[in-house]
Amino acid sequence: MPDQGWDVLSALGVVALVAVVVTAVVVLVLAITMIRRHRKVHQPGVPVSAKISYYGSIAYAVLPVDLLPDPILVDDIGVLAAALLYVGRVLRKFRRNRDEITGTGRK
């Protein structure tokens, strides 16, 4: 009977380890996706707010100062996902405006 407590504890440890690994992979994928937008963010005419969101989200994910301790990467996921949504929306709007001005939009 005393071994049953250790079984539960080891099972919780495995669940915690899997959760940490999964969140780390999600953060890595989001960070890589954000970094791939580097060239698009640095085009002339892209609003400064998109550049600030780009650098701020990457800095938040990399720097050790977080709202939650580092093994819990939920805050990093939230910051990167929000920045990806915002930067993506700004870049789409920027591309649409540029295409309208130059007349190279899709028909």
Side-chain angles (χ1 to χ4, degrees), residues 87-99:
V87 169
R89 187 170 6 115
V90 168
L91 289 175
R92 277 190 300 278
K93 190 175 181 182
F94 170 73
R95 184 176 47 226
R96 195 175 329 120
N97 289 340
R98 185 190 64 203
D99 290 347

Side-chain angles (χ1 to χ4, degrees), residues 9-107:
L9 191 58
S10 63
L12 287 175
V14 169
V15 169
L17 181 63
V18 168
V20 168
V21 170
V22 167
T23 57
V25 168
V26 170
V27 167
L28 187 62
V29 168
L30 289 173
I32 289 170
T33 305
M34 180 61 89
I35 291 170
R36 286 184 176 168
R37 296 185 180 199
H38 178 79
R39 192 175 304 140
K40 292 178 182 179
V41 168
H42 286 83
Q43 293 177 359
V46 173
V48 175
S49 61
K51 296 175 184 181
I52 291 172
S53 295
Y54 173 81
Y55 283 114
S57 64
I58 292 172
Y60 187 83
V62 172
L63 294 176
V65 177
D66 282 342
L67 293 176
L68 299 173
D70 260 346
I72 304 169
L73 299 172
V74 176
D75 58 332
D76 294 356
I77 291 170
V79 167
L80 284 168
L84 272 170
L85 289 172
Y86 177 71
V87 169
R89 187 170 6 115
V90 168
L91 289 175
R92 277 190 300 278
K93 190 175 181 182
F94 170 73
R95 184 176 47 226
R96 195 175 329 120
N97 289 340
R98 185 190 64 203
D99 290 347
E100 286 176 3
I101 291 171
T102 61
T104 59
R106 295 181 184 168
K107 293 181 181 180

